[in-house]
Amino acid sequence: MGVTATFGAAVRAVATSRGLMHDPYADPLVRAAGVEYFTQVIDGKTLGFDESPDAEKLMEILVLHAQFLDNYLADAGRAGIRQVVLLASGLDTRPYRLWWPAGTTVYEIDQPDVVDFKNAVLREVGAKLTAHRRAIGVDLRQDWLAALRRVGFDTTQPTVWVAENLFVGYLPSDAQNRLLQSVTTVSAAGSRLAADHMPTWTAVQLDAGRTFVDGWRRVGLNVDLAALTYQGEYRDVPEYLADHGWETVDRDIAELRATLGIPARKPVPPRDLAVSPRYVTAVRV
């Protein structure tokens, strides 16, 4: 299982143990993935999030965004949207762990091996769905839209799209633009979108990434940062959406925290703002 997907599940497992969110399936998914370091982290047996300042900050960022997205999806449901697409859903379990209005269908898209792995683990632990779920194993660089339509996606109905930890270099720039174009093409008026994004990996961000990955390497988890992300300039996601018929709001991490009603203990340091993603929400007009 991919390191980034397992890391996200480990974050949710630790956050659940701290009472910051509720994902009862994160722990068994991490254990089944078999990455010893992450298993030791959730067991509290090795250098974990509490002892590593950079890891602690990254965990806070990921948890805040997950909480924001959970609220965003609930708001969309209350507004009458019954069609949800989770792009690169990874090991998250929203169709099992969130409240959904009756009649909601959640489409999860990720690599086939990720989908198969998650299906097997959740079936083994007896996870119960809280929405209709359609899991689609397809690479987002391929014709994922055709696969989505084959399992019932309705282009005439408004959709809420979520791209969590995707528009931060995990797709080539041209593939990211094609994905945004496809999403726009099949989004009926009133559709919504939420995503984190970075226009490019700056020198400051690359340095912070290397420092973080070096910390993993010191405890035996060998990760090649360059192999995880694509380099180069990316079209600004809010700008692209605004140019293609979406009304957008873009936030930094401090503004995201304020949106959640979480008081800031102290101002976010400029360096943290520089290395953190931004967060866009959009409505199709």
Side-chain angles (χ1 to χ4, degrees), residues 49-67:
F49 301 116
D50 290 322
E51 297 86 356
S52 170
D54 285 338
E56 183 70 24
K57 289 177 183 177
L58 181 56
M59 176 185 169
E60 181 186 18
I61 288 170
L62 294 175
V63 171
L64 285 172
H65 194 217
Q67 292 171 329

Side-chain angles (χ1 to χ4, degrees), residues 197-254:
H197 67 97
M198 288 194 299
T200 186
W201 278 79
T202 65
V204 173
Q205 289 163 338
L206 284 169
D207 181 64
R210 280 190 292 267
T211 300
F212 183 73
V213 169
D214 284 346
W216 272 354
R217 191 172 290 115
R218 285 194 296 273
V219 295
L221 186 62
N222 191 25
V223 177
D224 181 1
L225 179 65
L228 293 177
T229 58
Y230 294 89
Q231 305 302 311
E233 292 290 334
Y234 282 75
R235 177 79 184 274
D236 183 71
V237 173
E239 180 184 277
Y240 183 99
L241 293 170
D243 287 346
H244 291 81
W246 297 79
E247 291 181 349
T248 65
V249 176
D250 199 32
R251 301 172 175 88
D252 62 24
I253 187 63

Side-chain angles (χ1 to χ4, degrees), residues 72 191 193 238 241-242 244-249 280-285:
Y72 189 80
S191 293
L193 180 146
L241 293 170
H244 291 81
W246 297 79
E247 291 181 349
T248 65
V249 176
V280 62
T281 56
V283 177
R284 188 82 164 99
V285 294

Side-chain angles (χ1 to χ4, degrees), residues 1 4-6 8-9 12 23 29 69 84-97 106-112 114-116 118-119 122 133-138 140 162-166:
M1 194 45 47
T4 53
T6 309
R12 290 191 301 278
D23 186 351
L29 283 165
L69 292 174
V84 178
V85 180
L86 308 180
L87 298 164
S89 57
L91 297 184
D92 192 52
T93 57
R94 287 189 171 96
Y96 299 86
R97 66 178 180 85
V106 181
Y107 299 90
E108 291 191 290
I109 302 177
D110 212 311
Q111 299 279 358
V114 176
V115 170
D116 291 345
K118 183 162 64 173
N119 287 347
L122 294 178
R133 175 179 180 253
R134 301 288 183 269
I136 306 160
V138 64
L140 285 170
V162 168
E164 187 176 18
N165 304 323
L166 177 62

Side-chain angles (χ1 to χ4, degrees), residues 71-82 99-101 104 160 192:
N71 292 346
Y72 189 80
L73 289 165
D75 288 343
R78 285 188 285 266
I81 297 179
R82 297 293 182 267
W99 165 86
W100 300 98
T104 300
V160 56
R192 305 183 184 190

